[in-house]
Amino acid sequence: MKTMIGLINLEHEYDFLNELTYFRCGAATPFAGRYRLIDFTLSNMTKSYMNEIAIFAKHKYRSLIDHLGSGADWDLNKRHGGLFILPPQWHDPHDVSKGDLRHFRNNWDFFERCKSEYVLISGSQFISNMHYNHLFEQHLGSGADVTILTSQYDLKPEHTSCLKVEADDQGNVTAFTNDTKNNHVYTGVYLLRKSLLYSLMEECIANNKSNFFLDGIQNNLDRLKIQVYNYQGYSMIVNSIDSYYRQNLSLLDSDNYQQLFPNGERVYTKIGNQPPTKYNSSAKIAKSLIATGGIINGEVENSILFRGVKVGKGAKIKNSIILQHCKIEDGAHIENVILDKDVTVTEDQLLKGAKEQPFIIAKRSTV
């Protein structure tokens, strides 16, 4: 039976969420009330029977390690295979590799030890709840060298920086472009054989390149057979504060929520054993998503509150995202705001951003 190795490559995901990535990498950023961004890719991989999954961690990965632990919550704490977090620790003075090629070169023993012949590579910014098996079946049946995962969107600002794809009637990629009017978007997910990965990696390093996908695959379009797998299910790209804020709040629409979390299709995350949120008699809630462990005395409208948030009497929260263990004291008013973890908003404080540019408070602040 042919199987896949999963690789989540975070090398090229810089601090794309401003204040929210001051202290953590983007993949570890909380999302949708109880998850982290990486949970979606990791869950998709485990649901696709990948038992060998590695993460190329670049920097600020302490929060990521704390969240993932041994991988038990994703059923990845296995005697053979499982989850491998591979930080940038290499000491070969003769190594000339750069960028993500350095991760591949210095961790190649991981790939050699894996029994699977194929490698599925993804970042953490493509959010979906899917199985990769259909992509794998298409790849095996088509005889392609590389199969890339694409989706078609009503174009929004987050798609501007994504590569766009042009393909012929047989699904063969004919061009990668930056055409801002093309809605056929490359999601950052692709699949290839391990032996081809190795040969392209060596070729890129020999030619002083630094980006495996751009230098090894995109620039070899003329000699590689690259196929498209166009995903038609619900998905989104989160690669900026604007998209993070807008896509989070879009899940308050029940249709969107049901599409991302359909019955029977779980997204796995670190389990937190907390009591249900307590709603006191003064609490008023409208169109909001509120996780466990909180205490609500004030008003919450069109907002997402993560675990353990406390809202005082007379406080009002509107169009906002409040991460774990924040405390909103009596009489405070928050609108169009993102609060990172452990923020305290003091009594009668007013914080108001714009829908187009939410006001962000960094982790552990008191305002």
Side-chain angles (χ1 to χ4, degrees):
M1 179 181 177
K2 291 180 168 45
T3 55
M4 296 180 284
I5 302 165
L7 172 63
I8 302 176
N9 184 358
L10 305 180
E11 166 68 23
H12 300 295
E13 295 187 3
Y14 301 112
D15 300 340
F16 58 93
L17 294 177
N18 302 353
E19 288 88 342
L20 300 183
T21 43
Y22 278 177
F23 305 103
R24 63 169 78 84
C25 61
T29 304
F31 187 78
R34 59 176 298 200
Y35 303 96
R36 306 291 180 113
L37 289 178
I38 198 171
D39 290 340
F40 294 85
T41 298
L42 199 54
S43 297
N44 291 345
M45 288 181 170
T46 56
K47 289 190 296 187
S48 303
Y49 308 111
M50 297 184 198
N51 295 318
E52 301 160 319
I53 298 176
I55 299 172
F56 285 172
K58 174 67 183 301
H59 64 322
K60 301 181 184 178
Y61 45 79
R62 189 181 68 179
S63 176
L64 186 69
I65 291 173
D66 176 63
H67 178 67
L68 297 176
S70 65
D73 292 318
W74 295 263
D75 195 25
L76 287 170
N77 57 335
K78 299 178 181 298
R79 184 181 298 274
H80 302 290
L83 179 66
F84 298 82
I85 300 175
L86 304 174
Q89 295 182 3
W90 36 69
H91 308 289
D92 181 358
H94 305 293
D95 181 18
V96 296
S97 56
K98 300 187 295 186
D100 62 352
L101 295 163
R102 203 172 193 193
H103 287 276
F104 284 112
R105 163 65 69 81
N106 287 277
N107 293 300
W108 191 253
D109 58 334
F110 162 78
F111 296 96
E112 285 188 324
R113 285 197 297 268
C114 292
K115 296 178 181 177
S116 302
E117 293 180 47
Y118 296 85
V119 185
L120 185 136
I121 302 174
S122 176
S124 71
Q125 298 176 345
F126 173 63
I127 306 300
S128 66
N129 187 352
M130 64 179 290
H131 296 246
Y132 296 128
N133 296 328
H134 299 304
L135 183 156
F136 191 30
E137 290 168 5
Q138 178 184 304
H139 180 80
L140 295 176
S142 68
D145 296 311
V146 182
T147 299
I148 63 170
L149 178 64
T150 63
S151 192
Q152 291 175 302
Y153 296 102
D154 293 331
L155 291 173
K156 294 184 172 60
E158 60 265 30
H159 302 125
T160 302
S161 61
C162 299
L163 279 176
K164 312 304 187 305
V165 177
E166 295 179 6
D168 63 20
D169 294 340
Q170 285 72 48
N172 297 307
V173 176
T174 57
F176 290 99
T177 73
N178 294 310
D179 182 359
T180 56
K181 296 180 180 177
N182 184 352
N183 71 344
H184 194 184
V185 174
Y186 167 56
T187 63
V189 182
Y190 60 104
L191 172 67
L192 74 170
R193 189 184 283 268
K194 187 165 60 176
S195 56
L196 177 60
L197 170 61
Y198 183 78
S199 63
L200 291 174
M201 174 192 72
E202 289 292 293
E203 187 178 305
C204 286
I205 293 172
N207 289 284
N208 201 31
K209 304 298 184 183
S210 61
N211 187 309
F212 179 76
F213 184 84
L214 296 183
D215 298 316
I217 295 178
Q218 182 184 348
N219 290 345
N220 284 313
L221 181 58
D222 57 340
R223 65 185 178 95
L224 294 175
K225 181 180 180 181
I226 304 177
Q227 275 264 315
V228 164
Y229 176 83
N230 187 39
Y231 180 61
Q232 298 182 352
Y234 187 79
S235 67
M236 59 184 75
I237 301 287
V238 175
N239 57 10
S240 64
I241 277 293
D242 169 68
S243 56
Y244 176 84
Y245 177 70
R246 180 163 31 78
Q247 298 291 10
N248 255 302
L249 294 187
S250 73
L251 296 175
L252 297 176
D253 184 313
S254 59
D255 288 341
N256 293 336
Y257 189 88
Q258 290 297 328
Q259 288 186 81
L260 186 59
F261 302 102
N263 290 334
E265 290 292 343
R266 292 184 60 186
V267 176
Y268 300 99
T269 189
K270 181 180 179 180
I271 294 173
N273 295 315
Q274 296 185 334
T277 286
K278 182 179 181 182
Y279 299 90
N280 289 323
S281 59
S282 56
K284 294 181 180 178
I285 313 297
K287 195 181 179 183
S288 294
L289 183 61
I290 299 177
T292 56
I295 300 175
I296 311 296
N297 292 290
E299 298 180 24
V300 182
E301 178 184 352
N302 200 51
S303 296
I304 296 177
L305 275 56
F306 285 69
R307 292 168 175 159
V309 172
K310 295 179 174 59
V311 182
K313 287 185 178 179
K316 295 182 180 179
I317 300 174
K318 184 177 180 182
N319 302 334
S320 295
I321 300 168
I322 314 297
L323 302 193
Q324 301 96 305
H325 307 297
C326 286
K327 184 178 181 182
I328 318 301
E329 294 186 347
D330 295 352
H333 185 157
I334 295 174
E335 186 170 345
N336 304 324
V337 169
I338 302 173
L339 300 185
D340 203 344
K341 285 177 64 175
D342 301 318
V343 167
T344 297
V345 180
T346 55
E347 191 172 329
D348 296 325
Q349 183 66 263
L350 171 63
L351 298 177
K352 189 171 184 178
K355 285 186 177 179
E356 300 76 18
Q357 190 170 3
F359 188 43
I360 307 169
I361 304 294
K363 191 175 178 179
R364 293 192 291 270
S365 301
T366 297
V367 292

